[in-house]
Coordinates of all heavy atoms in Angstrom, one line a residue:
M1 N 27.1 -10.2 15.5 CA 26.4 -11.4 15.0 C 27.5 -12.6 15.0 O 28.7 -12.3 14.6 CB 25.8 -11.2 13.6 CG 24.6 -10.4 13.5 SD 24.0 -10.5 11.8 CE 22.5 -9.6 12.1
P2 N 27.0 -13.7 15.3 CA 27.9 -14.8 15.2 C 28.3 -15.2 13.8 O 27.5 -14.8 12.8 CB 27.1 -16.0 15.8 CG 26.0 -15.4 16.5 CD 25.7 -14.1 15.9
N3 N 29.4 -15.8 13.5 CA 29.9 -16.0 12.1 C 28.9 -16.8 11.3 O 28.8 -16.7 10.2 CB 31.3 -16.7 12.2 CG 32.4 -15.9 12.6 OD1 32.3 -14.6 12.4 ND2 33.5 -16.5 13.1
S4 N 28.2 -17.8 12.0 CA 27.3 -18.6 11.2 C 26.2 -17.8 10.7 O 25.7 -18.0 9.6 CB 26.7 -19.8 12.0 OG 26.0 -19.2 13.1
V5 N 25.7 -16.8 11.5 CA 24.7 -15.8 11.0 C 25.2 -15.0 9.9 O 24.5 -14.7 8.9 CB 24.1 -15.0 12.2 CG1 23.1 -14.0 11.7 CG2 23.5 -16.0 13.2
I6 N 26.4 -14.4 10.0 CA 27.0 -13.6 9.1 C 27.1 -14.3 7.7 O 26.8 -13.8 6.8 CB 28.3 -13.1 9.6 CG1 28.2 -12.2 10.7 CG2 29.2 -12.5 8.4 CD1 29.5 -11.8 11.4
D7 N 27.4 -15.6 7.8 CA 27.5 -16.4 6.5 C 26.2 -16.5 5.8 O 26.2 -16.3 4.6 CB 28.1 -17.9 6.9 CG 29.6 -17.9 7.2 OD1 30.2 -16.9 7.0 OD2 29.9 -18.9 7.7
V8 N 25.1 -16.7 6.6 CA 23.8 -16.8 6.0 C 23.3 -15.5 5.4 O 22.9 -15.5 4.3 CB 22.7 -17.4 7.0 CG1 21.4 -17.3 6.4 CG2 23.0 -18.8 7.4
V9 N 23.5 -14.4 6.1 CA 23.1 -13.1 5.6 C 24.0 -12.7 4.5 O 23.5 -12.2 3.5 CB 23.2 -12.1 6.8 CG1 23.1 -10.7 6.3 CG2 22.2 -12.3 7.9
G10 N 25.3 -13.0 4.6 CA 26.1 -12.6 3.4 C 25.8 -13.4 2.2 O 25.8 -12.8 1.1
Y11 N 25.5 -14.6 2.3 CA 25.1 -15.3 1.1 C 23.8 -14.8 0.6 O 23.6 -14.7 -0.7 CB 25.0 -16.9 1.4 CG 24.7 -17.7 0.2 CD1 25.6 -17.7 -0.9 CD2 23.6 -18.5 0.1 CE1 25.3 -18.5 -2.1 CE2 23.3 -19.3 -1.0 CZ 24.2 -19.2 -2.1 OH 23.9 -20.0 -3.2
A12 N 22.8 -14.5 1.4 CA 21.4 -13.9 1.0 C 21.7 -12.6 0.2 O 21.1 -12.5 -0.8 CB 20.6 -13.7 2.2
L13 N 22.6 -11.8 0.7 CA 22.9 -10.6 0.0 C 23.6 -10.8 -1.3 O 23.3 -10.2 -2.3 CB 23.8 -9.6 0.9 CG 23.0 -9.1 2.2 CD1 24.1 -8.5 3.1 CD2 21.9 -8.3 1.8
H14 N 24.5 -11.8 -1.4 CA 25.2 -12.2 -2.6 C 24.1 -12.7 -3.6 O 24.1 -12.1 -4.8 CB 26.1 -13.3 -2.4 CG 26.7 -14.0 -3.6 ND1 27.6 -13.3 -4.4 CD2 26.3 -15.1 -4.2 CE1 27.9 -14.2 -5.4 NE2 27.1 -15.3 -5.2
L15 N 23.2 -13.4 -3.2 CA 22.0 -13.9 -4.1 C 21.3 -12.7 -4.6 O 20.8 -12.5 -5.8 CB 21.2 -14.9 -3.5 CG 21.8 -16.3 -3.2 CD1 20.8 -17.1 -2.5 CD2 22.2 -16.9 -4.6
A16 N 21.0 -11.8 -3.6 CA 20.1 -10.6 -4.0 C 20.8 -9.7 -5.0 O 20.1 -9.2 -6.0 CB 19.8 -9.8 -2.7
Q17 N 22.1 -9.6 -5.0 CA 22.9 -8.8 -5.9 C 22.7 -9.5 -7.3 O 22.9 -8.8 -8.3 CB 24.3 -8.7 -5.6 CG 24.5 -7.8 -4.3 CD 25.9 -7.8 -3.9 OE1 26.7 -8.8 -3.9 NE2 26.4 -6.7 -3.4
Q18 N 22.5 -10.8 -7.3 CA 22.4 -11.5 -8.6 C 20.9 -11.6 -9.1 O 20.6 -12.3 -10.1 CB 22.9 -12.9 -8.5 CG 24.4 -13.0 -8.3 CD 25.0 -14.3 -8.1 OE1 24.2 -15.3 -8.1 NE2 26.3 -14.5 -7.9
G19 N 20.0 -10.9 -8.4 CA 18.6 -10.9 -8.7 C 17.9 -12.2 -8.2 O 16.8 -12.5 -8.6
L20 N 18.4 -12.9 -7.3 CA 17.9 -14.1 -6.7 C 17.4 -13.9 -5.3 O 17.8 -12.9 -4.7 CB 18.8 -15.3 -6.8 CG 19.5 -15.6 -8.2 CD1 20.6 -16.6 -8.3 CD2 18.3 -16.0 -9.1
K21 N 16.7 -14.9 -4.8 CA 16.3 -14.8 -3.4 C 16.6 -16.0 -2.6 O 16.4 -17.1 -3.0 CB 14.8 -14.6 -3.4 CG 14.1 -14.3 -2.1 CD 12.7 -14.0 -2.2 CE 11.8 -14.4 -1.0 NZ 11.1 -15.5 -1.1
H22 N 17.3 -15.8 -1.3 CA 17.7 -16.8 -0.5 C 16.4 -17.5 0.1 O 15.3 -16.8 0.2 CB 18.5 -16.3 0.6 CG 19.2 -17.3 1.5 ND1 18.5 -18.0 2.5 CD2 20.5 -17.6 1.5 CE1 19.4 -18.8 3.1 NE2 20.6 -18.5 2.5
D23 N 16.5 -18.8 0.3 CA 15.3 -19.5 0.9 C 14.8 -19.0 2.2 O 13.7 -19.1 2.5 CB 15.7 -21.0 1.0 CG 15.9 -21.9 -0.2 OD1 15.4 -21.4 -1.2 OD2 16.6 -22.9 -0.2
Q24 N 15.7 -18.4 3.0 CA 15.3 -17.8 4.2 C 14.9 -16.3 4.2 O 14.6 -15.7 5.1 CB 16.5 -17.9 5.3 CG 16.6 -19.4 5.6 CD 17.8 -19.6 6.6 OE1 18.7 -20.4 6.2 NE2 17.8 -18.9 7.7
A25 N 15.0 -15.8 3.0 CA 14.6 -14.4 2.8 C 13.1 -14.3 2.6 O 12.5 -15.0 1.9 CB 15.3 -13.7 1.6
K26 N 12.4 -13.4 3.3 CA 11.0 -13.2 3.2 C 10.7 -11.7 3.3 O 11.4 -10.9 3.8 CB 10.3 -13.9 4.3 CG 10.5 -13.5 5.7 CD 9.8 -14.4 6.7 CE 10.1 -13.8 8.2 NZ 9.3 -14.4 9.1
V27 N 9.5 -11.4 2.7 CA 9.1 -10.0 2.6 C 8.7 -9.5 4.0 O 8.2 -10.2 4.9 CB 7.8 -9.9 1.8 CG1 7.3 -8.5 1.8 CG2 8.1 -10.3 0.4
L28 N 9.3 -8.3 4.3 CA 9.0 -7.7 5.7 C 7.7 -7.0 5.5 O 7.5 -6.1 4.7 CB 10.1 -6.7 6.0 CG 10.0 -6.0 7.3 CD1 10.1 -7.0 8.5 CD2 11.1 -5.0 7.5
K29 N 6.9 -7.4 6.4 CA 5.4 -6.8 6.3 C 5.5 -5.4 6.8 O 6.3 -5.0 7.7 CB 4.5 -7.7 7.1 CG 4.3 -9.0 6.6 CD 3.4 -9.9 7.5 CE 3.3 -11.2 6.9 NZ 2.5 -12.1 7.7
G30 N 4.7 -4.5 6.2 CA 4.5 -3.2 6.6 C 5.1 -2.2 5.6 O 5.0 -0.9 5.9
F31 N 5.6 -2.6 4.6 CA 6.3 -1.8 3.5 C 5.5 -1.8 2.1 O 5.9 -1.2 1.2 CB 7.7 -1.9 3.4 CG 8.5 -1.4 4.6 CD1 8.8 -2.3 5.7 CD2 8.8 -0.1 4.8 CE1 9.4 -1.8 6.8 CE2 9.5 0.4 5.9 CZ 9.8 -0.5 6.9
G32 N 4.5 -2.6 2.1 CA 3.6 -2.6 0.9 C 4.2 -3.2 -0.4 O 3.5 -3.2 -1.4
S33 N 5.4 -3.9 -0.4 CA 5.9 -4.5 -1.6 C 6.9 -5.5 -1.3 O 7.3 -5.7 -0.1 CB 6.4 -3.5 -2.5 OG 7.7 -3.2 -2.2
A34 N 7.3 -6.2 -2.2 CA 8.3 -7.3 -2.0 C 9.7 -6.8 -2.0 O 10.7 -7.4 -2.1 CB 8.2 -8.4 -3.0
G35 N 9.9 -5.4 -2.1 CA 11.2 -4.8 -2.3 C 11.9 -4.8 -0.9 O 13.2 -4.4 -0.9
I36 N 11.4 -5.0 0.2 CA 12.0 -4.9 1.4 C 11.9 -6.4 2.0 O 10.9 -6.9 2.2 CB 11.3 -4.0 2.5 CG1 11.1 -2.7 2.0 CG2 12.1 -4.0 3.8 CD1 12.3 -1.9 1.6
L37 N 13.1 -7.0 2.3 CA 13.2 -8.4 2.7 C 13.9 -8.5 4.0 O 14.7 -7.6 4.3 CB 13.8 -9.2 1.6 CG 13.0 -9.3 0.3 CD1 13.9 -8.6 -0.7 CD2 12.7 -10.7 -0.1
E38 N 13.7 -9.6 4.7 CA 14.5 -9.9 5.9 C 15.0 -11.3 5.9 O 14.2 -12.2 5.4 CB 13.7 -9.6 7.2 CG 12.6 -10.5 7.5 CD 12.0 -10.2 8.9 OE1 12.6 -9.7 9.7 OE2 10.8 -10.6 9.0
V39 N 16.1 -11.5 6.4 CA 16.7 -12.8 6.6 C 16.6 -13.2 8.1 O 17.2 -12.3 8.9 CB 18.1 -13.0 6.0 CG1 18.6 -14.4 6.3 CG2 18.1 -12.8 4.6
V40 N 16.1 -14.2 8.6 CA 16.0 -14.5 10.0 C 16.8 -15.8 10.1 O 16.7 -16.8 9.5 CB 14.6 -14.8 10.4 CG1 14.6 -15.2 11.9 CG2 13.7 -13.6 10.2
E41 N 17.8 -15.8 11.2 CA 18.6 -16.9 11.4 C 18.8 -17.1 12.9 O 19.0 -16.1 13.6 CB 20.0 -16.7 10.8 CG 20.9 -17.8 11.0 CD 20.6 -19.1 10.4 OE1 19.7 -19.3 9.6 OE2 21.3 -20.1 10.5
D42 N 18.7 -18.3 13.3 CA 18.8 -18.6 14.8 C 20.2 -19.1 15.0 O 20.8 -19.8 14.2 CB 17.8 -19.7 15.2 CG 16.4 -19.1 15.2 OD1 16.2 -18.0 15.4 OD2 15.5 -19.9 14.8
D43 N 20.8 -18.9 16.2 CA 22.1 -19.3 16.6 C 22.1 -19.4 18.2 O 22.0 -18.4 18.8 CB 23.2 -18.4 16.1 CG 24.6 -19.0 16.5 OD1 25.2 -19.8 15.7 OD2 25.2 -18.5 17.5
D44 N 22.4 -20.5 18.5 CA 22.5 -20.8 20.1 C 21.4 -20.2 20.9 O 21.7 -19.5 21.9 CB 23.9 -20.3 20.4 CG 24.3 -20.8 21.9 OD1 23.9 -21.9 22.2 OD2 25.1 -20.1 22.6
G45 N 20.2 -20.4 20.4 CA 19.0 -19.9 21.2 C 18.7 -18.5 21.0 O 17.7 -18.0 21.5
S46 N 19.5 -17.7 20.1 CA 19.1 -16.3 19.8 C 18.7 -16.2 18.4 O 19.1 -17.0 17.5 CB 20.4 -15.5 20.0 OG 20.7 -15.5 21.4
T47 N 17.9 -15.2 18.1 CA 17.4 -15.0 16.7 C 18.0 -13.7 16.2 O 17.9 -12.7 16.9 CB 15.8 -14.9 16.7 OG1 15.3 -16.2 17.2 CG2 15.4 -14.6 15.3
F48 N 18.5 -13.7 15.0 CA 19.1 -12.5 14.4 C 18.3 -12.2 13.1 O 17.9 -13.2 12.4 CB 20.5 -12.7 14.1 CG 21.3 -12.9 15.3 CD1 21.4 -14.2 15.9 CD2 21.9 -11.9 16.0 CE1 22.2 -14.4 17.0 CE2 22.7 -12.1 17.1 CZ 22.9 -13.5 17.6
R49 N 18.2 -10.9 12.8 CA 17.5 -10.5 11.5 C 18.4 -9.5 10.8 O 19.1 -8.6 11.4 CB 16.2 -9.8 11.9 CG 15.2 -10.9 12.5 CD 13.9 -10.3 12.7 NE 12.9 -11.2 13.2 CZ 11.6 -11.0 13.4 NH1 11.1 -9.8 12.9 NH2 10.8 -11.9 13.9
A50 N 18.3 -9.6 9.5 CA 19.0 -8.6 8.6 C 17.9 -8.2 7.6 O 17.2 -9.0 7.0 CB 20.2 -9.2 7.9
V51 N 17.7 -6.8 7.5 CA 16.7 -6.3 6.6 C 17.4 -5.6 5.5 O 18.3 -4.8 5.8 CB 15.7 -5.3 7.4 CG1 14.8 -4.7 6.5 CG2 15.1 -6.0 8.6
Y52 N 17.0 -5.9 4.3 CA 17.6 -5.2 3.1 C 16.6 -4.9 2.1 O 15.4 -5.4 2.1 CB 18.7 -6.0 2.6 CG 18.2 -7.4 2.0 CD1 18.1 -7.6 0.6 CD2 18.1 -8.5 2.8 CE1 17.7 -8.7 0.1 CE2 17.8 -9.7 2.2 CZ 17.5 -9.9 0.9 OH 17.1 -11.0 0.4
T53 N 16.9 -4.1 1.1 CA 16.0 -3.6 0.0 C 16.6 -3.9 -1.3 O 17.9 -3.7 -1.5 CB 15.6 -2.2 0.2 OG1 14.6 -2.0 -0.9 CG2 16.7 -1.2 0.0
V54 N 15.8 -4.3 -2.2 CA 16.2 -4.6 -3.6 C 15.4 -3.6 -4.5 O 15.3 -3.9 -5.7 CB 16.1 -6.0 -4.0 CG1 17.0 -6.9 -3.3 CG2 14.6 -6.5 -3.9
R55 N 14.8 -2.6 -3.9 CA 13.9 -1.6 -4.6 C 14.7 -0.8 -5.7 O 14.0 -0.3 -6.7 CB 13.3 -0.7 -3.7 CG 12.1 -1.2 -3.0 CD 11.4 -0.1 -2.3 NE 10.2 -0.6 -1.5 CZ 9.5 0.0 -0.7 NH1 9.7 1.3 -0.5 NH2 8.5 -0.5 -0.2
F56 N 16.0 -0.6 -5.6 CA 16.7 0.2 -6.4 C 17.6 -0.5 -7.4 O 18.2 -1.5 -7.0 CB 17.5 1.2 -5.6 CG 16.6 1.8 -4.5 CD1 16.8 1.5 -3.2 CD2 15.6 2.7 -4.8 CE1 16.1 2.1 -2.2 CE2 14.8 3.2 -3.8 CZ 15.0 2.9 -2.5
K57 N 17.7 -0.1 -8.6 CA 18.5 -0.7 -9.7 C 20.0 -0.9 -9.4 O 20.6 -1.9 -9.7 CB 18.3 -0.1 -11.1 CG 16.9 -0.3 -11.6 CD 17.0 0.2 -13.0 CE 16.4 1.5 -13.1 NZ 16.2 2.1 -14.5
N58 N 20.6 0.1 -8.8 CA 22.0 0.3 -8.7 C 22.7 -0.4 -7.5 O 23.8 -0.6 -7.5 CB 22.4 1.7 -8.7 CG 21.8 2.5 -7.6 OD1 20.8 2.2 -7.0 ND2 22.4 3.6 -7.2
A59 N 21.9 -0.9 -6.6 CA 22.5 -1.5 -5.3 C 21.5 -2.3 -4.5 O 20.3 -2.0 -4.5 CB 23.2 -0.4 -4.5
V60 N 22.0 -3.2 -3.7 CA 21.2 -3.7 -2.7 C 21.6 -3.0 -1.4 O 22.8 -2.9 -1.1 CB 21.5 -5.3 -2.5 CG1 20.9 -5.9 -1.3 CG2 21.1 -6.0 -3.8
Y61 N 20.7 -2.4 -0.6 CA 20.9 -1.7 0.6 C 20.6 -2.5 1.7 O 19.4 -3.0 1.9 CB 20.3 -0.4 0.6 CG 20.8 0.6 -0.5 CD1 20.2 0.6 -1.6 CD2 21.7 1.6 -0.1 CE1 20.6 1.5 -2.6 CE2 22.1 2.5 -1.1 CZ 21.6 2.4 -2.3 OH 22.0 3.4 -3.3
V62 N 21.6 -2.7 2.7 CA 21.3 -3.3 4.0 C 20.7 -2.2 4.9 O 21.4 -1.1 5.1 CB 22.5 -3.9 4.7 CG1 22.1 -4.5 6.0 CG2 23.0 -5.0 3.7
L63 N 19.5 -2.3 5.4 CA 18.9 -1.3 6.2 C 19.1 -1.4 7.7 O 19.1 -0.4 8.4 CB 17.3 -1.2 5.8 CG 17.0 -1.0 4.3 CD1 15.6 -1.2 4.1 CD2 17.6 0.3 3.8
H64 N 19.1 -2.7 8.1 CA 19.3 -2.8 9.6 C 19.6 -4.3 9.8 O 19.0 -5.2 9.2 CB 18.0 -2.5 10.3 CG 18.2 -2.3 11.8 ND1 19.3 -1.6 12.3 CD2 17.4 -2.6 12.8 CE1 19.1 -1.6 13.7 NE2 18.0 -2.3 14.0
C65 N 20.4 -4.5 10.8 CA 20.7 -5.9 11.3 C 20.6 -5.8 12.8 O 21.1 -4.9 13.5 CB 22.2 -6.3 11.0 SG 22.4 -6.5 9.2
F66 N 20.0 -6.9 13.4 CA 19.8 -6.8 14.8 C 19.5 -8.2 15.4 O 19.1 -9.1 14.7 CB 18.7 -5.8 15.2 CG 17.3 -6.2 14.6 CD1 16.3 -6.9 15.5 CD2 17.0 -6.0 13.3 CE1 15.1 -7.2 14.9 CE2 15.8 -6.3 12.8 CZ 14.8 -6.9 13.6
Q67 N 19.6 -8.2 16.8 CA 19.3 -9.5 17.5 C 17.9 -9.3 18.0 O 17.6 -8.2 18.7 CB 20.3 -9.7 18.6 CG 19.9 -11.0 19.4 CD 20.9 -11.3 20.4 OE1 21.9 -10.6 20.7 NE2 20.7 -12.3 21.2
K68 N 17.0 -10.2 17.7 CA 15.7 -10.1 18.3 C 15.6 -10.5 19.8 O 16.0 -11.6 20.1 CB 14.7 -10.9 17.5 CG 13.2 -10.8 18.0 CD 12.3 -10.9 16.9 CE 10.8 -10.8 17.3 NZ 10.4 -10.6 18.5
K69 N 15.3 -9.6 20.6 CA 15.4 -9.8 22.0 C 14.1 -10.2 22.7 O 14.0 -11.0 23.6 CB 16.0 -8.6 22.8 CG 17.3 -8.3 22.2 CD 18.2 -7.6 23.2 CE 19.5 -7.3 22.6 NZ 20.6 -7.4 23.4
S70 N 13.0 -9.7 22.1 CA 11.6 -10.0 22.6 C 11.3 -11.4 22.4 O 11.4 -12.0 21.3 CB 10.6 -9.0 22.0 OG 9.4 -9.5 22.4
H71 N 10.7 -12.1 23.4 CA 10.2 -13.4 23.2 C 8.6 -13.4 23.0 O 8.1 -14.4 23.0 CB 10.6 -14.2 24.5 CG 12.1 -14.3 24.6 ND1 12.9 -15.2 23.8 CD2 13.0 -13.8 25.4 CE1 14.1 -15.0 24.1 NE2 14.2 -14.2 25.1
K72 N 8.1 -12.2 22.9 CA 6.7 -12.0 22.7 C 6.4 -12.0 21.2 O 6.7 -10.9 20.6 CB 6.2 -10.9 23.4 CG 6.2 -11.0 24.9 CD 5.5 -9.8 25.6 CE 6.5 -8.7 25.7 NZ 6.0 -7.5 26.3
G73 N 5.9 -13.0 20.6 CA 5.5 -13.0 19.2 C 6.6 -12.9 18.2 O 7.8 -12.9 18.6
I74 N 6.3 -12.9 17.0 CA 7.3 -12.8 15.9 C 7.4 -11.5 15.2 O 8.2 -11.2 14.3 CB 7.1 -13.9 14.9 CG1 5.7 -13.8 14.2 CG2 7.3 -15.2 15.5 CD1 5.6 -14.6 13.0
S75 N 6.5 -10.6 15.6 CA 6.5 -9.2 14.9 C 7.8 -8.4 15.2 O 8.4 -8.6 16.2 CB 5.2 -8.5 15.3 OG 5.3 -8.2 16.7
T76 N 8.1 -7.6 14.2 CA 9.2 -6.7 14.4 C 8.8 -5.5 15.2 O 7.8 -4.8 14.9 CB 9.6 -6.3 13.1 OG1 9.9 -7.4 12.2 CG2 10.9 -5.4 13.1
P77 N 9.6 -5.2 16.2 CA 9.2 -3.9 17.1 C 9.1 -2.7 16.3 O 9.8 -2.5 15.3 CB 10.4 -4.0 18.1 CG 11.0 -5.3 18.1 CD 10.8 -5.8 16.7
K78 N 8.3 -1.8 16.8 CA 8.0 -0.5 16.2 C 9.3 0.3 16.1 O 9.6 0.8 14.9 CB 6.9 0.2 16.9 CG 6.6 1.6 16.1 CD 5.6 2.5 16.8 CE 5.4 3.8 16.2 NZ 6.3 4.3 15.3
H79 N 10.2 0.4 17.0 CA 11.3 1.2 16.9 C 12.2 0.7 15.8 O 13.0 1.4 15.2 CB 12.0 1.3 18.3 CG 12.8 0.0 18.7 ND1 12.2 -1.0 19.3 CD2 14.1 -0.3 18.6 CE1 13.0 -1.9 19.6 NE2 14.2 -1.4 19.1
V80 N 12.3 -0.6 15.6 CA 13.1 -1.3 14.5 C 12.4 -0.9 13.2 O 13.2 -0.5 12.2 CB 13.2 -2.7 14.7 CG1 13.8 -3.4 13.4 CG2 14.0 -3.1 15.9
M81 N 11.1 -0.9 13.1 CA 10.5 -0.5 11.8 C 10.7 0.9 11.5 O 10.9 1.3 10.4 CB 8.9 -0.9 11.9 CG 8.6 -2.3 12.0 SD 9.1 -3.3 10.6 CE 7.7 -2.9 9.6
D82 N 10.7 1.7 12.5 CA 11.0 3.2 12.3 C 12.5 3.4 11.8 O 12.7 4.2 11.0 CB 10.8 3.9 13.6 CG 9.4 4.1 14.0 OD1 8.6 3.8 13.2 OD2 9.2 4.4 15.3
I83 N 13.4 2.6 12.4 CA 14.8 2.7 11.8 C 14.9 2.3 10.4 O 15.5 2.9 9.6 CB 15.8 1.8 12.7 CG1 15.9 2.3 14.1 CG2 17.1 1.5 12.0 CD1 16.6 1.4 15.1
V84 N 14.2 1.1 10.0 CA 14.2 0.7 8.7 C 13.6 1.7 7.8 O 14.1 1.9 6.6 CB 13.4 -0.7 8.6 CG1 13.1 -1.1 7.1 CG2 14.2 -1.8 9.3
E85 N 12.5 2.3 8.2 CA 11.9 3.3 7.3 C 12.7 4.5 7.1 O 12.9 5.0 6.0 CB 10.5 3.7 8.0 CG 9.7 4.7 7.1 CD 8.4 5.0 7.7 OE1 7.9 4.5 8.7 OE2 7.7 6.0 7.1
G86 N 13.5 5.0 8.1 CA 14.3 6.1 7.9 C 15.5 5.8 7.0 O 15.9 6.5 6.2
R87 N 16.1 4.6 7.2 CA 17.2 4.2 6.3 C 16.7 3.9 5.0 O 17.5 4.1 4.0 CB 17.9 3.0 7.0 CG 18.6 3.4 8.2 CD 19.3 2.2 8.9 NE 20.0 2.7 10.1 CZ 20.4 1.9 11.0 NH1 20.3 0.5 10.8 NH2 21.0 2.3 12.1
L88 N 15.5 3.4 4.8 CA 15.1 3.3 3.4 C 15.0 4.6 2.7 O 15.3 4.7 1.5 CB 13.7 2.6 3.4 CG 12.9 2.4 2.0 CD1 13.8 1.4 1.2 CD2 11.6 1.8 2.2
K89 N 14.5 5.7 3.4 CA 14.5 7.0 2.8 C 15.9 7.4 2.4 O 16.0 8.0 1.3 CB 13.9 8.1 3.7 CG 12.4 7.8 3.9 CD 11.8 8.8 4.9 CE 10.4 8.5 5.1 NZ 9.8 9.4 6.2
L90 N 16.8 7.2 3.3 CA 18.2 7.5 2.9 C 18.8 6.8 1.7 O 19.5 7.2 0.9 CB 19.2 7.3 4.1 CG 18.9 8.2 5.4 CD1 19.8 7.8 6.5 CD2 19.3 9.7 5.0
A91 N 18.5 5.6 1.7 CA 18.9 4.6 0.5 C 18.3 5.2 -0.7 O 19.0 5.2 -1.8 CB 18.4 3.2 0.8
K92 N 17.1 5.6 -0.6 CA 16.4 6.2 -1.9 C 17.1 7.5 -2.4 O 17.4 7.6 -3.6 CB 14.9 6.5 -1.6 CG 14.1 7.0 -2.8 CD 12.7 7.2 -2.6 CE 12.0 7.5 -3.8 NZ 11.4 8.7 -4.0
Q93 N 17.4 8.3 -1.5 CA 18.2 9.5 -1.8 C 19.5 9.2 -2.4 O 19.9 9.8 -3.3 CB 18.4 10.4 -0.5 CG 17.1 11.0 0.0 CD 17.4 11.7 1.3 OE1 18.4 11.7 2.0 NE2 16.3 12.5 1.8
H94 N 20.2 8.3 -1.7 CA 21.5 7.9 -2.2 C 21.4 7.2 -3.7 O 22.2 7.6 -4.5 CB 22.1 6.8 -1.3 CG 23.6 6.5 -1.7 ND1 23.8 5.4 -2.4 CD2 24.7 7.1 -1.4 CE1 25.1 5.2 -2.7 NE2 25.8 6.3 -2.0
S95 N 20.4 6.4 -3.8 CA 20.2 5.7 -5.1 C 19.9 6.7 -6.2 O 20.3 6.6 -7.4 CB 19.0 4.8 -5.0 OG 18.7 4.2 -6.3
E96 N 19.3 7.8 -5.9 CA 19.0 8.9 -6.8 C 20.0 9.9 -7.0 O 19.9 10.9 -7.7 CB 17.6 9.6 -6.4 CG 16.4 8.6 -6.5 CD 15.2 9.2 -5.9 OE1 15.3 10.3 -5.2 OE2 14.1 8.6 -6.1
G97 N 21.2 9.7 -6.3 CA 22.3 10.6 -6.4 C 22.3 11.7 -5.5 O 23.3 12.5 -5.4
A98 N 21.3 11.9 -4.5 CA 21.3 13.0 -3.6 C 22.3 12.7 -2.4 O 22.7 13.7 -1.8 CB 19.9 13.2 -3.0
G99 N 22.7 11.5 -2.3 CA 23.5 11.2 -1.2 C 25.1 11.1 -1.6 O 25.9 10.9 -0.8
S100 N 25.4 11.4 -2.7 CA 26.8 11.2 -3.2 C 27.5 12.6 -3.2 O 27.0 13.6 -3.0 CB 26.8 10.6 -4.6 OG 25.9 11.1 -5.5

């Protein structure tokens, strides 16, 4: 990711750790609650996304960061949603102590 995108995502994560929400953070549809968010940032004609969760008390977990390559629509591709779902399960296990 370009440095300008890293700065925006990093600040969004910093705010999330403080219990706040960045202006560019929005709920990622498909997970049924506001506990999964994404930050979308454009740079030089490319779009980047970072998906994270605030569902767990002990940490903010970054689930996936990627460059959106499709120019068709704004929806998140299924394979990315599958990655996020799998990593969310791992984050839950880690949060509950099974991953330590």
Side-chain angles (χ1 to χ4, degrees):
M1 288 185 168
N3 286 336
S4 62
V5 175
I6 291 170
D7 288 346
V8 170
V9 170
Y11 185 59
L13 294 171
H14 170 74
L15 291 176
Q17 289 173 325
Q18 296 179 356
L20 303 171
K21 187 172 150 255
H22 191 280
D23 289 341
Q24 288 175 240
K26 62 182 183 174
V27 174
L28 180 63
K29 294 177 183 175
F31 288 94
S33 81
I36 310 294
L37 298 112
E38 72 174 336
V39 176
V40 179
E41 179 68 6
D42 295 323
D43 183 83
D44 197 27
S46 296
T47 300
F48 298 86
R49 295 183 180 191
V51 179
Y52 65 94
T53 184
V54 293
R55 281 190 181 175
F56 312 110
K57 287 191 260 187
N58 59 336
V60 172
Y61 289 89
V62 177
L63 303 173
H64 194 45
C65 297
F66 61 101
Q67 180 179 359
K68 181 144 178 6
K69 301 211 180 211
S70 171
H71 297 285
K72 295 186 271 179
I74 59 169
S75 64
T76 305
K78 183 182 178 337
H79 75 277
V80 171
M81 295 296 278
D82 291 344
I83 290 169
V84 169
E85 186 174 352
R87 291 181 180 166
L88 181 60
K89 288 178 185 175
L90 292 172
K92 182 176 191 242
Q93 290 173 352
H94 184 266
S95 175
E96 293 172 347
S100 44

